[in-house]
Amino acid sequence: MEEEPEVIEHFFGVYLLYCMNPKYKGRTYIGYTVNPRRRIKQHNAGKKHGGAWKTSKRGPWNMVLIVYGFPNSTSALRFEWAWQHPHVSRRLKHIPKKKSSQKTFDFHLTILSEMLKIGPWYRLPLTIRWLDHKFFENYHERISPPLHMPICYGKVTNCKVKHTQKINDDILLQESHLLIKESLMFCSLCGSSVMEKNSVTCVKPKCLLIAHLICLAKEFCKDEMILPIEGTCPSCRTIVLWGDLIKKRNGCYQDFEEINSNFSSDKDDI
């Protein structure tokens, strides 16, 4: 029985293709997508069907790895460009050039592993997902991201962010949230008024935290960096990833009862 793919909201991914054609075997391609299943079909169908000219008529291609969790398409596209051009990117000029004896695929993994450890990418809530089991078994140890970035295996698919909230049996809780939303809100941290569009709330459904985005960022930042990785909610004391807070603010997680953000676990296709 075929395994069901994991469904991800607000999906922006950067992927690595590996050519399975014996004539071109070993060739690779790095790209960006919001829909991995559609994108691999386009690559294998050719340029006339939306595939890239570099992969056209050289298939079949196998999408073996994808990195996602970027806050928007701009962030993902910058990551894609840097991965494609490591010696042009000012952040990656310290990496030695590819040796003639080194396989291109291996070199791409070396670059990726290094990118995940440096700014600005090391602060993002990224997930590294292997899509091919054979590649996962042979190469998963070649990538060593920060502890808050999981490495996993399995199919993945995107879905549009749903803007309709799930019906909750707790009517009183719904009414209290509605009153808070429609009334004048005050930041839990600085005490001044805050507009909904400038506010952020906890990922825990029953947590009443409402704060300015900048106030919570300052609360979470412990190392003088502008963008935090994670922090403790000042209201419910839950450890949450900053990326999960931003995803919820963008409309994700509305159908979820509760999100566990502990470490247990930036256009269309081009």
Side-chain angles (χ1 to χ4, degrees), residues 5-270:
E6 183 175 352
V7 180
I8 304 295
E9 295 178 301
H10 205 64
F11 189 96
F12 303 103
V14 180
Y15 58 85
L16 178 60
L17 298 186
Y18 186 87
C19 186
M20 306 304 292
N21 187 329
K23 186 177 179 180
Y24 304 101
K25 193 169 183 179
R27 292 196 182 187
T28 59
Y29 180 86
I30 295 169
Y32 157 80
T33 187
V34 297
N35 189 326
R37 291 201 297 182
R38 180 181 68 193
R39 192 60 183 144
I40 186 61
K41 289 180 181 179
Q42 290 175 326
H43 278 297
N44 284 322
K47 184 180 179 181
K48 292 183 179 180
H49 299 276
W53 69 268
K54 287 185 178 181
T55 60
S56 187
K57 298 180 181 180
R58 292 178 175 85
W61 293 87
N62 185 9
M63 188 178 290
V64 298
L65 176 70
I66 192 163
V67 181
Y68 58 92
F70 299 95
N72 49 52
S73 60
T74 301
S75 176
L77 287 166
R78 286 175 176 172
F79 187 92
E80 175 205 29
W81 185 89
W83 196 5
Q84 292 172 337
H85 310 89
H87 301 303
V88 180
S89 172
R90 61 184 177 85
R91 301 183 185 277
L92 301 173
K93 288 185 176 181
H94 64 284
I95 300 177
K97 291 186 177 182
K98 175 183 171 297
K99 298 178 181 179
S100 58
S101 59
Q102 187 178 20
K103 294 182 179 180
T104 303
F105 184 80
D106 294 339
F107 181 66
H108 284 324
L109 295 186
T110 299
I111 298 298
L112 174 61
S113 188
E114 185 64 23
M115 288 177 67
L116 298 175
K117 300 174 186 175
I118 61 178
W121 306 299
Y122 80 102
R123 308 189 70 84
L124 298 177
L126 302 178
T127 295
I128 300 88
R129 179 179 290 270
W130 290 94
L131 305 172
D132 183 280
H133 191 263
K134 183 178 179 181
F135 280 83
F136 169 70
E137 288 186 326
N138 294 336
Y139 296 99
H140 73 276
E141 294 182 351
R142 296 285 304 276
I143 303 174
S144 54
L147 291 177
H148 69 278
M149 297 184 189
I151 298 178
C152 56
Y153 161 74
K155 296 181 179 180
V156 65
T157 188
N158 69 306
C159 75
K160 293 183 179 180
V161 175
K162 298 178 181 179
H163 296 285
T164 57
Q165 286 204 329
K166 187 179 179 181
I167 297 176
N168 195 320
D169 292 333
D170 191 346
I171 303 300
L172 292 177
L173 182 62
Q174 280 191 337
E175 290 179 348
S176 66
H177 283 181
L178 185 60
L179 287 173
I180 291 174
K181 184 176 180 179
E182 293 181 346
S183 63
L184 182 63
M185 299 185 296
F186 295 91
C187 177
S188 302
L189 297 174
C190 72
S192 60
S193 61
V194 56
M195 297 179 66
E196 183 183 0
K197 65 179 181 179
N198 298 324
S199 67
V200 62
T201 58
C202 183
V203 295
K204 293 285 184 176
K206 296 183 180 181
C207 179
L208 298 180
L209 173 74
I210 299 174
H212 289 107
L213 191 63
I214 188 66
C215 287
L216 194 59
K218 289 180 179 178
E219 177 75 13
F220 279 15
C221 280
K222 305 299 181 183
D223 52 6
E224 298 182 356
M225 295 296 290
I226 297 177
L227 183 64
I229 296 176
E230 52 86 23
T232 301
C233 172
S235 181
C236 67
R237 310 309 299 176
T238 299
I239 297 177
V240 293
L241 289 176
W242 180 256
D244 282 339
L245 293 174
I246 300 303
K247 287 178 183 178
K248 182 182 178 183
R249 186 170 180 265
N250 290 338
C252 296
Y253 305 143
Q254 294 187 25
D255 287 342
F256 293 178
E257 285 265 330
E258 185 170 308
I259 301 167
N260 182 358
S261 297
N262 293 319
F263 290 141
S264 60
S265 17
D266 276 85
K267 193 175 163 165
D268 199 2
D269 293 350
I270 61 174

